Amino acid sequence: MPDSQPQPPRSPSPSGSPDRGSLLLSGARLTDGRTVDVRLHGGRIEAVGTAGSLTPARTPGPGTRVDLGGYLLLPAPADPHVHPDTALTADVPGPVSYEPEDVQRRATEAALLQLGHGATALRAHVRVGDVTGLGALTAVLRARRSLRGLAELTTVAMPRLLTGVAGADGLAMLRDAVKMGADVVGGCPDLDPDPAGYVEAVLEVAAEHGCPVDLHTDAADPARLARLAAMAGGLRPGVALGPCEGLGLLPAEVAARAAEQLAAAGVTVVCLPQGGCGAADHPDGTAPVRLLRAAGVRVTAGSGALRDVSNPVGRGDPLEAAYLLASRHGLHPEDAYEAVSTGARAALGLPEVRVEAGFPAELLAVRGDRLAGALSLAYSRVVVHQGRVVSRTSAVREYGDQDGGAADLGLPRQGRGERGGPPS
């Protein structure tokens, strides 16, 4: 009998979940050790049952069943901090082009790369004003439309200056960006001559339009951070800060007090364990995640720069971010993965995902049978968005024979093609 029966649907995702038909994921392993079948319908998990207990809801045929034997099935990751307008520009000769067509191409390619890693939802931080005007935002909004059905892409408008005479244009541009379709109000107060005034302006625009707030800051100034937390406290639909790596440079007592203030204000911290981004003064280092979590702060992880000048080797891989949180910052694998999946989705205001009936069908299958192993060697992946497979990555590793030694030891081998050659 199925372990989990259909339930009334929860609130839909922002872009809706179109009816994608029925899909059966068979033989998947869950983190609790069970091996199950999972049936998807209409963008949601319809039923979860023991392996072999479920069948497709319609006549079986091509595309109605995916064999996930040997895979671990997880809620899909989300990335709350990406920079698609500058992505993939590290090797570009000469000045980076901000022509809308070039930005749209980069944003689309970057989103697809991250989708292949498993991120079915992305929050894109886009610069507005200065030389880009609203052109980069226009391009990313176009990319969002072209990605509909593949991934959720929300946008953060990031002006450089908001205070004084020089900031008047930036403030007008920020309001125009929200009217044009930016979902979140953001920016980097550390770069403004009046950081407190910058935050006030951002919160005012966000309150006018009912938008979330997402700010870049190194959080190295405890007094400034305390003012920011006091101003942001209780704001709905929420405030996120990142990467906050400067907290780790403060004396332990000062950092602990700042963490308590952020927790009391309900502020989310988005750290960047894969490397910083050009919007922050200090591109290296990660926020003290264990200290923040101990204080009750929701901590999530984003990818930051994806192969731009800030991080020419940035991967944009949520599982690598989770791996780094576990390997370098001492989080348990389950907590590290939660920071890039359930926690990240909550920070983005998206519905919770569990591998249970009634929840959104936003899933990632990774080759392996334990989460720790999946974070260590997450090569093969199957990504499900809105109830259908939107990306597959398959990796095959082979070893050359050496006097039959491998065969003599009885070590596992990857399969070969029918004629003994490498797989096609």
Side-chain angles (χ1 to χ4, degrees):
M1 292 295 292
D3 300 325
S4 179
Q5 292 291 346
Q7 300 174 2
R10 291 166 171 80
S11 59
S13 62
S15 65
S17 297
D19 188 346
R20 299 288 185 181
S22 177
L23 178 66
L24 180 66
L25 309 177
S26 64
R29 191 177 183 90
L30 302 183
T31 54
D32 62 10
R34 289 182 295 151
T35 301
V36 299
D37 292 344
V38 180
R39 188 167 62 222
L40 315 178
H41 185 77
R44 293 192 170 272
I45 298 172
E46 186 177 60
V48 178
T50 54
S53 68
L54 298 181
T55 58
R58 54 190 172 92
T59 304
T64 62
R65 180 180 179 275
V66 176
D67 183 0
L68 291 183
Y71 281 78
L72 186 69
L73 189 61
L74 304 163
D79 196 322
H81 193 121
V82 303
H83 289 271
D85 51 340
T86 59
L88 310 174
T89 58
D91 297 325
V92 173
V96 173
S97 169
Y98 283 94
E99 290 297 321
E101 295 79 8
D102 294 327
V103 175
Q104 182 178 352
R105 175 184 51 78
R106 293 197 301 262
T108 303
E109 183 179 354
L112 291 175
L113 283 172
Q114 295 191 259
L115 176 64
H117 292 318
T120 64
L122 306 161
R123 177 176 278 184
H125 297 248
V126 185
R127 296 176 183 174
V128 299
D130 298 330
V131 296
T132 63
L134 293 173
L137 178 62
T138 300
V140 175
L141 290 173
R142 289 174 182 166
R144 175 171 70 179
R145 289 192 291 270
S146 70
L147 291 163
R148 188 167 294 139
L150 294 173
E152 298 281 353
L153 185 65
T154 56
T155 55
V156 185
M158 291 181 52
R160 181 176 177 84
L161 298 176
L162 288 180
T163 67
V165 176
D169 288 343
L171 186 56
M173 193 77 68
L174 180 60
R175 286 193 164 93
D176 288 342
V178 176
K179 293 175 184 176
M180 197 167 86
D183 307 280
V184 185
V185 181
C188 187
D190 298 359
L191 301 180
D192 194 284
D194 180 5
Y198 189 106
V199 173
E200 289 177 0
V202 165
L203 295 177
E204 179 181 345
V205 174
E208 289 174 2
H209 297 274
C211 295
V213 169
D214 198 325
L215 294 169
H216 290 61
T217 180
D218 61 13
D221 184 332
R224 183 188 303 172
L225 188 62
R227 288 195 297 272
L228 194 159
M231 288 188 287
L235 182 73
R236 295 293 180 267
V239 176
L241 301 179
C244 295
E245 72 277 19
L247 274 176
L249 305 176
L250 298 175
E253 292 184 2
V254 176
R257 186 161 55 251
E260 291 171 357
Q261 292 166 341
L262 292 174
V267 172
T268 296
V269 170
V270 182
C271 65
L272 302 178
Q274 297 174 87
C277 59
D281 288 335
H282 306 288
D284 298 322
T286 301
V289 294
R290 295 178 69 182
L291 180 147
L292 289 164
R293 286 169 54 89
V297 178
R298 176 193 287 148
V299 180
T300 73
S303 60
L306 175 58
R307 287 168 29 204
D308 66 17
V309 294
S310 301
N311 187 0
V313 295
R315 292 183 181 176
D317 185 351
L319 269 65
E320 184 186 43
Y323 156 79
L324 291 170
L325 290 177
S327 64
R328 292 188 181 179
H329 300 280
L331 296 193
H332 292 295
E334 291 75 12
D335 292 332
Y337 189 73
E338 191 275 342
V340 301
S341 57
T342 305
R345 287 183 62 87
L348 299 183
L350 296 172
E352 182 183 7
V353 173
R354 299 181 194 169
V355 188
E356 298 177 14
F359 285 85
E362 303 289 319
L363 303 168
L364 171 64
V366 184
R367 176 71 71 178
D369 59 359
R370 293 288 187 274
L371 185 56
L375 295 184
S376 175
L377 296 171
Y379 298 132
S380 297
R381 309 183 191 187
V382 179
V383 185
V384 175
H385 174 55
Q386 294 184 350
R388 69 187 187 106
V389 174
V390 292
S391 176
R392 295 175 186 255
T393 302
S394 298
V396 175
R397 174 178 286 166
E398 294 188 312
Y399 300 93
D401 289 328
Q402 197 168 37
D403 299 328
D408 293 343
L409 292 173
L411 298 177
R413 295 175 56 85
Q414 295 282 356
R416 290 178 175 270
E418 293 182 358
R419 299 184 181 179
S424 59

